[in-house]
Amino acid sequence: MEERMSLYIGAVDDDPDILYTLEAMASTQGWHMATSVDSSRSLKWVSDKEVDILLVDFHMPGMNGLEVISKARQLSDQIVLIALTIEEDEKIASELLMAGADDFITKPLHLADFKSRIRLHGKLVNQRRSLNWDERKKGINNDTLRVIVRFLKEDQEEVTWKEVSNHCDISHATAHRYLEYLANRGMVVKVNIYRDGKPGRPMSAYRWSGN
């Protein structure tokens, strides 16, 4: 039986039908897929480390694919960037690679090609994860980080590390370490609160900063 990788994929394209097709193909492999027609949103995924692989349409109004790939590469040297294009032009391919793309997939999309390319680059994702020494030394796991970030974004209120621990099914120490990591990066705001109107020592609480 073929082993399946746990991958978080993002896709940005101005054609909703293409995004629907990508979601359908990803679901057949058990891969998590986030889609958007908004280039800025896709860059937010990269900044927040929500995706391992980002698929970028080359021809888009406003910020084109080349610009998105260049900005995404500046935000992360770990993410895998794949351009989606209808053209097989050597000059365009060279520009994409110079901007920071790892590969490109030509349209129209086919499941067999999509599946093989993503599986291939899934191995690159794992290699880059293993080289991410800074976060490994801090004991930060990307999958755990995403679960916590998703909870913070959905809650919209200040939460304590105990609440994060309970909701995300992780230890109190782990919840506290990840929240402090996010606070140090400016991704969450740390505040002191008093619960239930009780006097005494305040509790530390955290909320998503929106940055």
Side-chain angles (χ1 to χ4, degrees):
M1 184 175 178
E2 188 179 33
E3 181 183 356
R4 293 191 175 184
M5 302 179 184
S6 175
L7 287 174
Y8 291 79
I9 308 168
V12 57
D13 196 303
D14 63 328
D15 186 343
D17 290 336
I18 294 291
L19 296 178
Y20 177 80
T21 300
L22 287 168
E23 278 189 289
M25 291 194 297
S27 68
T28 67
Q29 303 303 306
W31 296 328
H32 308 273
M33 170 72 80
T35 62
S36 181
V37 295
D38 184 354
S39 299
S40 298
R41 187 177 180 191
S42 70
L43 292 174
K44 193 72 168 57
W45 295 335
V46 178
S47 177
D48 294 347
K49 299 190 176 182
E50 293 188 38
V51 295
D52 300 307
I53 297 174
L54 182 63
L55 306 174
V56 182
D57 181 32
F58 180 70
H59 293 287
M60 288 190 294
M63 193 188 306
N64 64 37
L66 204 61
E67 293 175 285
V68 175
I69 287 172
S70 179
K71 290 179 182 294
R73 181 56 70 211
Q74 291 173 31
L75 290 169
S76 172
D77 58 2
Q78 188 178 6
I79 191 169
V80 172
L81 299 170
I82 302 176
L84 301 174
T85 177
I86 59 174
E87 302 178 45
E88 297 186 52
D89 185 287
E90 187 175 330
K91 181 181 178 182
I92 290 176
S94 176
E95 289 177 347
L96 288 167
L97 293 174
M98 289 295 292
D102 294 290
D103 198 358
F104 61 91
I105 297 175
T106 56
K107 299 177 181 178
L109 302 169
H110 299 286
L111 178 58
D113 184 38
F114 174 78
K115 174 183 169 182
S116 63
R117 293 293 185 92
I118 297 300
R119 287 190 64 81
L120 173 65
H121 288 293
K123 297 176 182 178
L124 181 57
V125 166
N126 289 331
Q127 289 174 358
R128 290 180 178 175
R129 281 175 178 169
S130 69
L131 293 174
N132 196 0
W133 293 108
D134 184 52
E135 293 192 357
R136 285 181 67 193
K137 286 187 288 187
K138 292 182 175 69
I140 301 300
N141 175 277
N142 276 342
D143 288 340
T144 303
L145 189 66
R146 286 171 181 141
V147 170
I148 294 172
V149 166
R150 192 174 297 116
F151 172 55
L152 292 170
K153 285 184 173 181
E154 290 173 353
D155 195 88
Q156 301 295 317
E157 300 288 339
E158 289 95 353
V159 293
T160 67
W161 50 266
K162 289 183 180 180
E163 291 167 330
V164 171
S165 169
N166 293 335
H167 185 275
C168 300
D169 195 26
I170 56 179
S171 71
H172 289 176
T174 298
H176 184 263
R177 184 173 74 252
Y178 277 73
L179 288 166
E180 287 295 312
Y181 171 77
L182 290 168
N184 289 334
R185 294 188 69 212
M187 296 172 71
V188 301
V189 177
K190 183 178 178 180
V191 296
N192 290 327
I193 62 171
Y194 294 89
R195 284 287 167 90
D196 303 321
K198 295 180 181 179
R201 189 174 180 179
M203 299 176 63
S204 293
Y206 306 79
R207 70 170 182 272
W208 185 250
S209 70
N211 295 326

